Amino acid sequence: MSPSTPALPDPTALLVDAPEVRAALQRAGWSSSALDELLGPSYRGHLDRGELSPLLRRTRGSGELARLVRALVVGGEVAPGTLPDSWVRDGRAVTRLQAVPHDGLDVTVPHDPGSAAAQVHPEQVLGVGAASMTLASATPRAVVGSTLDLGTGAGIQALLAEDHSGSVVATDRNARAVAYTRLAAALNGTGLDARQGDLLDPVRGETFDLVVSNPPFVVSPGRRYTYRDAGYQGDDVCSRLVQEIPTVLAPGGHAVLLVNWLHLEGQDGDERVLSWFEGTGCDGWVVQRELAAPEDYVTAWLRDTDETAFDDLYDEWVDALRGVEAVAFGIVAMHRRVDGLAPQVVLDVVDQPTAATWGEEVTAHFARRVLLEGDLLEARLRLRPDVRLHQVATPTADGWMADNQLLQQEAGLRWSGGVDPYGATLLAACDGTQKLGNLLAVLASSAGLSQADAAEQVLPVLRHLVAKGFLS
Ligand SMILES: C[S@@+](CC[C@H](N)C(=O)[O-])C[C@H]1O[C@@H](n2cnc3c(N)ncnc32)[C@H](O)[C@@H]1O
């Protein structure tokens, strides 16, 4: 840390007056939509880029919301009487707040001042970023008894889980993050059990129905920032989490975590990440979202966090990735089965844009295994209600000639794929009432095929459509 690195506030000292701040926020009508209206819809971009002038201008008013937002969101001067004394130092609020909308919820997240691109402290507790929302979007939101948020930071995943969990435990190695999570709970009027400790140490011997984790997954040399660098070799922190999280997963429970994994020279990267699941007793689903060349990976992280020291750190980091062909990023989901089926792991490359939330796909993915391992001809399959059939037709002398049909999911992972007219007809008939074998018999006779030939041709396609969730 250089001498100019800003001193950090003590979030524990803010806790005592948190109820007073919560009451002020409520009185003022604090919400993410109120902030959008006050600051303008592009205000998050201004904040990220440190362009405060437009935001200071919009919060010149004397209303309570404008004064609170100016102090706690923009970081401008605190007008007298706006905040308790414990929250103010040298005329500025000592912490910052974010109003985060997600899937019908609106949570308030306190975090340290300072953006990632500016110089930050090694123990900085960042606010909610893109990776936080990637995990939130992939988290199943079915009601569960207990949830663990491992590496809670400022508490965003724990706050969102609170809405659908009987109890939530939030853990972090950084004592300041634990204090921030307690502060977040107080500001949101919820109860959270926040504990300090390394990885699974604070919860050994306990089990949870849902485990979520946005861990310090970045593959970097050394341990520069607690929120980003685990200090492990390569991607070892991610493989360790995949191996150990099952020890705290209740039977039937699910885990969702963000990971990086390395594609090493001379090794198959997919096989490498799939091998992490061996011996865990869990089904696994790896959803690959990105694959970056080492130089691009380093550049992206330096821009995100160490912009001021880019040139000093670039060579050291790229050298540390010697032998790495690419770095993959994705979401790992796990499921502890209770039906005795042998664990299975699947990797999907998802490079299409997904729906804003797709956590329900995680539970559905594992549930479909029962179908795929059973006799599909006996199943009464149902077409997903959000599937649409798109037709492309070419003009001919005889009018429009349909030459291409595309199935498209409108929700979830938004898979798409071509289908022939027979397949399209079969899918439309899948309304959950008829066994697939019966539907196939009708299709076979209309196509002039034997039922066995029709099954041989169609079943692999149907299996694929079940695997991707078009049918269930
Ligand atoms: C990328 S941040 C995620 C914060 C938050 N959960 C979110 O989604 O925005 C990773 C968090 O893991 C914590 N952490 C780092 N090393 C850890 C360790 N060994 N055990 C537990 N938590 C750790 C960091 O302090 C940081 O809060």
Side-chain angles (χ1 to χ4, degrees):
M1 183 176 58
S2 83
S4 61
T5 308
L8 294 176
D10 172 13
T12 307
L14 306 179
L15 199 53
V16 64
D17 288 322
E20 189 184 325
V21 176
R22 172 170 156 77
L25 295 173
Q26 284 180 326
R27 231 179 11 248
W30 167 276
S31 70
S32 54
S33 56
L35 263 67
D36 282 346
E37 200 173 316
L38 178 69
L39 297 173
S42 52
Y43 83 87
R44 292 180 185 85
H46 283 309
L47 275 179
D48 287 348
R49 294 187 295 273
E51 300 158 0
L52 300 187
S53 302
L55 309 179
L56 289 168
R57 188 178 173 89
R58 277 181 173 259
T59 51
R60 273 184 195 156
S62 57
E64 191 168 16
L65 184 64
R67 286 190 286 126
L68 283 165
V69 169
R70 188 179 175 88
L72 288 166
V73 178
V74 188
E77 267 175 39
V78 182
T82 306
L83 291 173
D85 289 347
S86 62
W87 281 56
V88 183
R89 188 166 62 205
D90 300 331
R92 309 272 166 173
V94 295
T95 189
R96 297 288 177 273
L97 298 190
Q98 270 173 305
V100 184
H102 181 73
D103 204 14
L105 294 177
D106 213 336
V107 293
T108 301
V109 179
H111 61 93
D112 282 328
S115 73
Q119 198 165 25
V120 294
H121 192 283
E123 298 296 290
Q124 187 99 4
V125 177
L126 293 184
V128 175
S132 321
M133 298 323 288
T134 298
L135 176 60
S137 300
T139 299
R141 298 293 172 196
V143 173
V144 289
S146 55
T147 295
L148 166 67
D149 173 18
L150 193 159
T152 191
I156 176 64
Q157 314 299 340
L159 292 172
L160 295 174
E162 182 63 30
D163 188 59
H164 60 95
S165 311
S167 62
V168 177
V169 175
T171 66
D172 206 288
R173 193 179 75 189
N174 183 349
R176 301 190 65 261
V178 175
Y180 260 119
T181 297
R182 291 188 183 128
L183 184 62
L187 288 173
N188 289 276
T190 63
L192 283 176
D193 178 356
R195 308 178 193 171
Q196 189 196 356
D198 185 50
L199 299 182
L200 289 152
D201 285 352
V203 292
R204 293 221 189 264
E206 296 173 56
T207 56
F208 301 86
D209 301 311
L210 177 66
V211 177
V212 292
S213 185
N214 172 7
F217 55 80
V218 178
V219 180
S220 54
R223 196 186 251 182
R224 211 167 145 77
Y225 302 110
T226 303
Y227 68 82
R228 191 192 70 183
D229 313 311
Y232 283 59
Q233 264 306 105
D235 51 12
D236 283 358
V237 72
C238 296
S239 64
R240 183 168 167 193
L241 284 170
V242 170
Q243 285 278 313
E244 291 194 5
I245 282 177
T247 64
V248 298
L249 209 50
H254 293 86
V256 187
L257 57 153
L258 302 185
V259 291
N260 267 151
W261 66 97
L262 298 178
H263 285 238
L264 300 174
E265 282 165 15
Q267 253 190 44
D268 183 311
D270 293 356
E271 276 176 20
R272 192 158 171 280
V273 66
L274 295 177
S275 75
W276 292 355
F277 295 79
E278 275 164 26
T280 62
C282 282
D283 274 347
W285 185 27
V286 181
V287 176
Q288 179 181 308
R289 295 293 279 157
E290 287 165 26
L291 190 66
E295 294 80 1
D296 296 338
Y297 180 80
V298 171
T299 301
W301 278 109
L302 286 174
R303 288 251 174 274
D304 188 70
T305 315
D306 283 306
E307 204 162 332
T308 49
F310 192 103
D311 294 329
D312 298 339
L313 298 172
Y314 181 83
D315 281 338
E316 179 197 350
W317 198 334
V318 171
D319 286 347
L321 294 181
R322 196 165 289 136
V324 173
E325 279 178 349
V327 187
F329 167 76
I331 297 108
V332 156
M334 304 180 89
H335 175 223
R336 178 168 284 290
R337 298 205 75 94
V338 285
D339 54 16
L341 287 180
Q344 193 185 70
V345 195
V346 171
L347 184 147
D348 277 320
V349 176
V350 176
D351 41 24
Q352 68 272 20
T354 68
T357 60
W358 55 272
E360 72 284 358
E361 300 296 328
V362 167
T363 35
H365 171 90
F366 294 118
R368 285 196 298 269
R369 261 205 67 198
V370 178
L371 267 181
L372 285 167
E373 299 208 351
D375 182 357
L376 215 50
L377 294 174
E378 287 295 304
R380 295 171 200 274
L381 296 176
R382 191 183 289 274
L383 182 66
R384 231 178 119 104
D386 62 271
V387 173
R388 298 291 175 267
L389 183 74
H390 296 263
Q391 275 193 339
V392 177
T394 310
T396 69
D398 299 325
W400 290 103
M401 180 72 79
D403 54 12
N404 200 348
Q405 300 198 94
L406 187 79
L407 292 170
Q408 174 73 57
Q409 297 177 358
E410 300 281 301
L413 291 180
R414 291 197 173 135
W415 289 113
S416 62
V419 66
D420 68 18
Y422 288 118
T425 307
L426 181 67
L427 286 178
C430 287
D431 60 2
T433 62
Q434 301 274 344
K435 286 184 183 175
L436 183 66
N438 296 342
L439 295 175
L440 213 54
V442 177
L443 181 82
S445 84
S446 69
L449 290 171
S450 74
Q451 207 177 329
D453 283 349
E456 194 182 311
Q457 285 182 30
V458 175
L459 273 180
V461 179
L462 288 174
R463 280 192 185 290
H464 174 77
L465 291 174
V466 171
K468 295 287 185 268
F470 287 91
L471 292 166
S472 57

